[in-house]
Amino acid sequence: MPKQVDHDQRRRQIAEALWRISADRGLEAVSMREVAAEAGVSIGLVQHYFRDKNDLVGFAVGRLRERIEERVRRSVASTPPPHTPRRLLRAVLVALLPLESEGRTESLVGIAVFIRALGDPDLAATYRRGQALLVTAVADQIRAGVRDGELRPDLDAETEADILLALVSGLTTTLLLGHGSADQVLNTLDHQLARLAT
């Protein structure tokens, strides 16, 4: 009986090989041959699944977004009750920080994608759409917190979402550079969240 091949799994395997290389060296210098070697497959197999490097990068970016969404869902699901908007907001923001190896790799790949997006209009548009979705998700939690009386009524949800996501981006850099500990970063995040409270 012929061996069954899980094509989605094979595509993810190749994309994750691209992540590992780009987390170490960025995306620009990565070749399809290197990705094949990292994934433990032939160059022909990589080319069977992806037309070219841009096709592979596009798939890898989509898969990265899915992984981040999965991490956010796990963080929200593991939040102890009561599930107030402020607690859920914190869970979303904490999930975006590189507090463990999986998050660190994803953050480094995200930075590599950002750098490539600066010169690639299609990738830049994808990046902007992802950022807009994040702002919306965070702003929705802020609005819920205002409605519940947990957060200050004078808050502009989109502005505060932009500020919180900029803070998370800066704290990500702090962690990646080893400039601060996880506890210090979480204390800074909690300090900012406390400023939004009633």
Side-chain angles (χ1 to χ4, degrees):
M1 179 176 220
K3 184 178 174 184
Q4 289 283 350
V5 176
D6 183 337
H7 296 290
D8 288 337
Q9 175 58 35
R10 188 57 60 87
R11 287 168 67 86
R12 289 193 298 271
Q13 173 190 355
I14 294 167
E16 289 171 15
L18 174 71
W19 293 350
R20 289 190 296 276
I21 298 169
S22 61
D24 186 46
R25 294 191 292 122
L27 276 170
E28 296 315 307
V30 178
S31 71
M32 298 285 270
R33 190 167 302 286
E34 288 174 296
V35 171
E38 177 69 23
V41 299
S42 70
I43 182 70
L45 189 67
V46 172
Q47 291 168 336
H48 170 76
Y49 285 107
F50 301 102
R51 289 185 312 274
D52 54 26
K53 183 176 169 181
N54 287 337
D55 188 29
L56 172 54
V57 168
F59 178 82
V61 168
R63 181 64 186 131
L64 179 64
R65 187 185 65 247
E66 290 170 7
R67 288 270 299 259
I68 292 168
E69 289 169 358
E70 289 167 13
R71 198 149 36 95
V72 168
R73 280 193 293 274
R74 284 195 311 267
S75 182
V76 167
S78 67
T79 301
H83 290 158
T84 64
R86 183 172 164 193
R87 281 186 177 208
L88 295 178
L89 173 61
R90 183 183 189 275
V92 169
L93 297 170
V94 167
L96 299 175
L97 292 167
L99 296 171
E100 78 300 307
S101 63
E102 175 187 13
R104 180 178 174 81
T105 298
E106 290 169 4
S107 292
L108 290 169
V109 174
I111 291 167
V113 169
F114 171 76
I115 291 168
R116 184 176 176 98
L118 293 175
D120 181 332
D122 292 336
L123 193 54
T126 299
Y127 198 93
R128 285 193 299 271
R129 282 193 299 274
Q131 185 67 17
L133 289 172
L134 269 178
V135 170
T136 298
V138 171
D140 285 347
Q141 285 302 321
I142 292 170
R143 278 190 281 274
V146 170
R147 278 194 307 272
D148 288 5
E150 191 180 21
L151 300 180
R152 295 194 336 252
D154 63 324
L155 297 177
D156 178 273
E158 277 75 20
T159 299
E160 297 301 334
D162 283 337
I163 291 168
L164 286 169
L165 290 169
L167 175 63
V168 165
S169 179
L171 294 175
T172 293
T173 301
T174 294
L175 286 169
L176 291 175
L177 291 173
H179 181 66
S181 70
D183 286 342
Q184 289 170 320
V185 162
L186 291 173
N187 285 340
T188 301
L189 178 61
D190 288 334
H191 176 78
Q192 181 60 28
L193 289 172
R195 296 172 67 141
L196 308 183
T198 53

